[in-house]
Amino acid sequence: MATSDLSTTSTTTSIATPLMEDTVDGTVDYNGRPAHRSSSGGWRSASFIIAVEVAERFAYYGISSNLISYLTSSLGQSTAIAAENVNTWSGTATLLPLLGGFVADSFLGRHRTILFASLIYILGLSLLTLSATLTSVDVSECENTKNGTSCSPPTFQAILFFFSLYLVAVGQGGHKPCVQAFGADQFNGLDPKESVAKRSFFNWWYFSYSAGINLSVIVVVYIQEKLNWVLGFGIPCILMFAALVVFLLGSRTYRYSIKGNERNPFIRIGRVIVRAARNWRSAPFGVAADEETYMDDQNFEQFKFLNKALLARDGSMEDQEKCSVSDVKETKALLSLIPIWATCLAYAIAFAQSATFFTKQGVTMDRTIFAGFQIPAASLQTFIGFAIILSIPIYDRIFVPLASSLTGNLSGIAMLQRIGTGMIISTLSMVIAALVEKKRLKIAEEHGMVDLPNATIPMTIWWLVPQYVLCGVADVFTIVGLQEFFYDQVPEGLRSVGLSLYLSVLGVGQFLSSFLVSVIDKATSKDGQDSWFSNNLNRAHLDYFYWLLAALSVIGFLAYLIFARSYIYRKGNES
């Protein structure tokens, strides 16, 4: 079976021969021959890959969206410990794609990494289902005792559960950055038609991604709460196995990137940094012809200290060991992403609240949809998904053509403008969340319910819809923008790592959110005062926290604006 990033003798021979006009440079087909545009890649291949992502997101959110309920019920953990475990696991799962992207770009290639990651994923989900089967038997026996809440499963079963859970995180870490990058690889950015389709791919990718999440939150959460956890974990496992089958069925249609004989991109970039550090005192005696061309490039002025990597130890340009101009450019391109990454962390902290405190707000409110039926608290996140599903077609089919006619940009607006727009909308969602929470607290006070934490506040859950919808719309701009930006702006050999960088923004944001909550909780609960995050939400002050996040979002956006305005797009990627 052919795999992505092929590096074989036959492939090398194929590249050396003149390619027909129909072939796509730098790619091969399933048999290792030059890939033809008419018979490989495009939406046909991307459809298989998108279907795989829908199944993977269904499986992942089938585990994560209601995990805290499983930990506090079946495993008998306290709310605080369960929340800590959920945050730790979720943050780890979001950062592991950095490792997965590194392995794909440096060793295995994207296709092989997806295959191995899928097998690990399926194994983790299988063991998770087995763990739920064993635990459910013991818990049912415990519930017959006088104090069922104090009963927890044997240590072995708890170990099996967490081992399985982190195995799922490892599988997701290899799967997540590679599937999207491999999907984007099916479109040739140098072909005018395929270039437009490639930009559209990132929009429809997130549309399908959100549909998979919504379906999972609605279906799997209901099964877990109303039926049993074994089926609730088993269905994601079955769907993930089906995803692997679908991925393999599309193998003959894919375009596989070719890895040349050049050095590992991480080694090349590391070598540039090390050599520039060694030569920091050297002054050049002359400039070679290729360096003269480079000095005319606007990128030459960025991170000028790295230009020292082009020099020999004595400051001359004659050293055969000196780094190449392309290596220096790649290193600068990667370093220039750091300020954008860092200034998006404020957005990521706000992003983390939709799965935690937004839900806590909803639990206290009137969730009745019709007589005898209440929407589960974990299902409130579907408002974000529905907003995304509705917004992306509008963005892709209406906004982009209109904006394109005004700006002349085929994408409508530039990638960094798209990200910044989402950050503004996210800030607005925090402001609205603060105002809604202030009203909720006022109603609780008016009805004498301040000291009744388990009572339902006479305030409909529909008050929360605006903040959820704005979060979804913000995602359409910022999250999709980050995906496209980090895929497009990293060196070609690091595209899996590029997509994992955008994921790491969200992962670090979750850790920062947890840290912020911990610090504020300790600071506001001194001298017997009620914490902003008191267990009695009617005495808490989530509204103050949302105002703080809104202020942080404004600061983050202003910093982002400074770096975005000075950012220099890689040549040919100014969209």
Side-chain angles (χ1 to χ4, degrees):
M1 180 179 291
T3 56
S4 63
D5 301 332
L6 295 176
S7 182
T8 61
T9 306
S10 61
T11 298
T12 306
T13 305
S14 300
I15 297 172
T17 60
L19 299 178
M20 293 188 301
E21 199 171 311
D22 186 46
T23 59
V24 182
D25 193 21
T27 63
V28 294
D29 63 13
Y30 181 84
N31 295 310
R33 296 189 294 258
H36 288 264
R37 185 172 286 106
S38 57
S39 60
S40 68
W43 281 112
R44 177 181 55 175
S45 299
S47 297
F48 285 102
I49 300 168
I50 287 174
V52 170
E53 178 66 4
V54 170
E56 189 275 330
R57 288 294 85 186
F58 182 96
Y60 181 80
Y61 276 85
I63 304 303
S64 66
S65 59
N66 210 23
L67 181 58
I68 192 167
S69 297
Y70 184 80
L71 294 176
T72 53
S73 58
S74 296
L75 290 190
Q77 293 188 343
S78 69
T79 302
I81 293 176
E84 184 180 334
N85 281 328
V86 171
N87 284 332
T88 302
W89 177 75
S90 182
T92 302
T94 315
L95 289 176
L96 276 174
L98 285 170
L99 177 61
F102 170 77
V103 170
D105 287 339
S106 300
F107 305 106
L108 296 180
R110 287 188 263 279
H111 188 268
R112 280 197 190 101
T113 304
I114 293 169
L115 290 177
F116 286 127
S118 296
L119 293 173
I120 294 171
Y121 215 135
I122 293 167
L123 176 60
L125 290 170
S126 301
L127 292 176
L128 206 60
T129 306
L130 174 62
S131 171
T133 304
L134 298 173
T135 305
S136 64
V137 173
D138 288 342
V139 170
S140 64
E141 294 173 356
C142 293
E143 288 174 347
N144 294 323
T145 64
K146 291 182 178 179
N147 187 8
T149 57
S150 64
C151 184
S152 58
T155 303
F156 166 74
Q157 290 178 14
I159 291 174
L160 176 62
F161 174 79
F162 281 105
F163 174 76
S164 307
L165 194 64
Y166 277 89
L167 205 57
V168 169
V170 172
Q172 194 258 178
H175 200 277
K176 195 74 181 73
C178 297
V179 175
Q180 189 174 10
F182 191 58
D185 288 345
Q186 305 310 308
F187 301 92
N188 180 11
L190 299 179
D191 179 86
K193 289 184 179 179
E194 290 196 18
S195 177
V196 173
K198 189 173 189 175
R199 294 186 179 97
S200 188
F201 166 78
F202 285 97
N203 292 326
W204 292 105
W205 172 274
Y206 204 59
F207 175 91
S208 306
Y209 170 109
S210 301
I213 293 173
N214 261 18
L215 187 63
S216 179
V217 171
I218 293 170
V219 175
V220 178
V221 167
Y222 182 84
I223 290 172
Q224 290 168 348
E225 291 196 357
K226 302 298 182 181
L227 298 178
N228 60 70
W229 287 97
V230 177
L231 195 58
F233 288 154
I235 290 175
C237 180
I238 293 169
L239 205 64
M240 197 62 206
F241 178 78
L244 177 58
V245 173
V246 169
F247 183 69
L248 292 174
L249 287 175
S251 294
R252 290 183 178 274
T253 74
Y254 300 147
R255 293 174 186 169
Y256 302 90
S257 299
I258 302 168
K259 290 190 78 171
N261 297 320
E262 70 272 9
R263 285 195 188 114
N264 180 294
F266 289 98
I267 294 176
R268 296 201 312 269
I269 288 169
R271 188 165 167 268
V272 168
I273 294 172
V274 170
R275 196 163 182 86
R278 285 179 177 173
N279 294 343
W280 72 280
R281 287 185 175 177
S282 301
F285 293 146
V287 179
D290 57 339
E291 275 80 20
E292 283 183 352
T293 303
Y294 175 48
M295 287 179 182
D296 290 335
D297 193 317
Q298 55 187 342
N299 287 306
F300 179 78
E301 296 300 321
Q302 283 190 315
F303 305 105
K304 290 186 71 171
F305 67 93
L306 291 177
N307 297 337
K308 298 283 188 178
L310 299 170
L311 307 177
R313 290 296 296 273
D314 60 359
S316 72
M317 311 293 286
E318 304 301 324
D319 189 354
Q320 293 183 351
E321 295 284 323
K322 67 179 171 52
C323 298
S324 68
V325 169
S326 62
D327 289 348
V328 173
K329 278 189 173 183
E330 283 191 357
T331 307
K332 290 187 175 189
L334 201 60
L335 290 180
S336 66
L337 300 178
I338 293 175
I340 303 297
W341 182 94
T343 51
C344 285
L345 289 176
Y347 172 87
I349 295 172
F351 176 88
Q353 309 315 313
S354 60
T356 53
F357 292 124
F358 281 16
T359 302
K360 289 287 287 181
Q361 282 179 288
V363 168
T364 68
M365 299 167 76
D366 182 6
R367 293 179 282 124
T368 303
I369 305 300
F370 52 82
F373 180 78
Q374 284 193 334
I375 184 172
S379 295
L380 295 174
Q381 297 165 51
T382 56
F383 290 124
I384 295 176
F386 286 136
I388 292 169
I389 290 170
L390 290 172
S391 298
I392 284 183
I394 295 171
Y395 182 91
D396 193 70
R397 299 303 180 191
I398 299 175
F399 176 79
V400 170
L402 286 175
S404 181
S405 65
L406 295 173
T407 64
N409 189 323
L410 291 176
S411 298
I413 55 177
M415 290 178 282
L416 290 176
Q417 291 174 331
R418 181 174 186 171
I419 294 168
T421 301
M423 294 173 77
I424 294 172
I425 297 171
S426 174
T427 304
L428 184 59
S429 76
M430 290 296 104
V431 171
I432 290 179
L435 294 173
V436 170
E437 176 61 10
K438 183 178 180 180
K439 182 173 181 62
R440 192 194 67 82
L441 291 174
K442 184 179 179 181
I443 292 176
E445 184 179 358
E446 288 174 350
H447 287 78
M449 304 174 75
V450 173
D451 293 315
L452 299 174
N454 297 321
T456 299
I457 304 297
M459 180 179 178
T460 179
I461 194 175
W462 301 118
W463 277 92
L464 296 179
V465 171
Q467 66 199 59
Y468 275 102
V469 168
L470 286 172
C471 282
V473 175
D475 288 356
V476 169
F477 283 90
T478 298
I479 299 296
V480 181
L482 284 171
Q483 291 172 357
E484 187 179 359
F485 178 76
F486 280 109
Y487 174 86
D488 192 76
Q489 295 297 297
V490 296
E492 254 184 63
L494 295 176
R495 281 179 169 167
S496 295
V497 170
L499 286 173
S500 64
L501 280 173
Y502 114 78
L503 287 168
S504 71
V505 172
L506 303 180
V508 173
Q510 286 177 314
F511 283 118
L512 288 176
S513 176
S514 295
F515 173 75
L516 198 59
V517 169
S518 177
V519 171
I520 292 173
D521 184 47
K522 290 178 181 177
T524 58
S525 60
K526 290 180 179 179
D527 302 323
Q529 297 293 317
D530 289 311
S531 165
W532 285 9
F533 313 110
S534 171
N535 288 333
N536 179 358
L537 210 61
N538 299 332
R539 286 197 169 276
H541 272 292
L542 288 183
D543 54 336
Y544 293 171
F545 182 59
Y546 291 144
W547 283 120
L548 175 63
L549 292 184
L552 288 176
S553 296
V554 170
I555 294 170
F557 174 73
L558 293 175
Y560 169 84
L561 201 59
I562 293 170
F563 290 110
R565 292 183 62 160
S566 62
Y567 182 81
I568 300 172
Y569 286 94
R570 291 180 64 204
K571 196 170 184 180
N573 297 284
E574 291 82 5
S575 64

